[in-house]
Amino acid sequence: RYARLYEFGYASSLLCARVVYRGSGGVYRKAKPITMSATKRHMAVAGFLLLATVFFFVRGWFVAVPTLYAALIAATTSRKGGVAIPLALLFSAAGDYAGSTGNFIMQVALFAIAHICYISDFAPRRIASRSRFAGATALAVVTLCYLGLVLSHIDNQAEFVAVAIYGLIIYIMGATAIFQQRRFYAWYVVAALLFIFSDSLIVCGKYLTTVPHGNTLVMLTYYAAQGLFMTLHATRRTAEE
């Protein structure tokens, strides 16, 4: 009796496999991973842009709201896109709030953690090539020159150490973005460079000289970077893509 049941089950499985084979046009197909639909992505981006626009009229603690929203949107796709970018956005939102209260050291520390999260997302997908090495080298030269200039104008020892460490971390974030090989690779690089440019404007205004419309430029480039990271994460079909 058990032998007959086994034969029946085996024959049934072959029949099901044959039906699937014919229904797929004679080719066994892998199931396509599900991504956030284009409509939902557009709505998410529109929501982020709306909140970012509201900030320029409200200011203060509201600076953290658009980034927190981006973290929540990224978290909805964390199962296929990984948790590093949602965490990076979350720590960035915390850093935004710390900055709004005037706690500079805490702001730097939280953003450093955010960049480490970005690095953990980019680094495993790295690939070496001459063009990418040249890009990372150019970024290193610019970072070292600018960081050296900024550090020469910092008298507070705690801020000196914090800015020096943060400068190293944000460079590594930019370099790993250059070396990684995800889909839409160029947009990751753009987002990373926008982030670095935004932070460079902050320290320029704080330690070097007044930047015309500095606060507006800082926030425009910062929100553009975080919005790009949110959108790119939402397009992922797997954590490795």
Side-chain angles (χ1 to χ4, degrees):
R1 184 173 61 182
Y2 291 114
R4 288 180 180 178
L5 287 173
Y6 175 80
E7 291 174 359
F8 176 76
Y10 181 71
S12 299
S13 64
L14 286 178
L15 179 60
C16 290
R18 190 171 299 173
V19 170
V20 171
Y21 180 77
R22 288 177 178 175
S24 62
V27 178
Y28 289 110
R29 304 180 188 275
K30 291 183 179 179
K32 293 183 178 180
I34 301 173
T35 60
M36 179 183 286
S37 67
T39 301
K40 289 183 178 179
R41 283 200 303 271
H42 294 159
M43 292 177 63
V45 172
F48 178 81
L49 292 175
L50 176 62
L51 292 172
T53 302
V54 170
F55 159 74
F56 289 99
F57 296 94
V58 179
R59 303 282 177 169
W61 61 267
F62 197 86
V63 65
V65 174
T67 316
L68 180 60
Y69 170 84
L72 294 174
I73 293 298
T76 63
T77 56
S78 61
R79 288 187 62 184
K80 60 179 178 294
V83 298
I85 285 184
L87 285 175
L89 291 166
L90 183 62
F91 280 109
S92 295
D96 289 334
Y97 181 78
S100 72
T101 64
N103 193 334
F104 181 70
I105 297 298
M106 181 60 69
Q107 180 185 23
V108 171
L110 289 167
F111 272 108
I113 296 172
H115 287 305
I116 291 172
C117 291
Y118 281 126
I119 291 167
S120 70
D121 184 87
F122 301 152
R125 298 290 296 161
R126 64 188 180 277
I127 184 174
S129 69
R130 289 184 178 180
S131 60
R132 295 177 192 234
F133 182 77
T137 302
L139 180 61
V141 172
V142 173
T143 301
L144 286 174
C145 292
Y146 187 73
L147 186 60
L149 176 64
V150 170
L151 292 175
S152 67
H153 288 76
I154 301 178
D155 298 323
N156 184 287
Q157 185 175 2
E159 292 186 4
F160 182 96
V161 173
V163 172
I165 294 174
Y166 184 80
L168 174 62
I169 292 174
I170 199 171
Y171 164 73
I172 296 173
M173 186 277 292
T176 51
I178 291 172
F179 279 111
Q180 56 90 31
Q181 55 175 336
R182 294 185 182 279
R183 195 164 59 113
F184 306 123
Y185 144 79
W187 286 111
Y188 283 98
V189 176
V190 170
L193 293 179
L194 283 171
F195 209 142
I196 293 172
F197 181 71
S198 177
D199 283 350
S200 70
L201 289 176
I202 292 175
V203 293
C204 180
K206 185 175 178 64
Y207 299 113
L208 300 180
T209 184
T210 301
V211 180
H213 309 292
N215 290 336
T216 301
L217 288 173
V218 165
M219 297 313 301
L220 282 175
T221 51
Y222 170 72
Y223 282 144
Q226 300 288 45
L228 273 174
F229 282 134
M230 176 196 76
T231 306
L232 290 166
H233 187 270
T235 64
R236 293 183 182 178
R237 292 172 293 188
T238 64
E240 289 75 29
E241 187 177 50

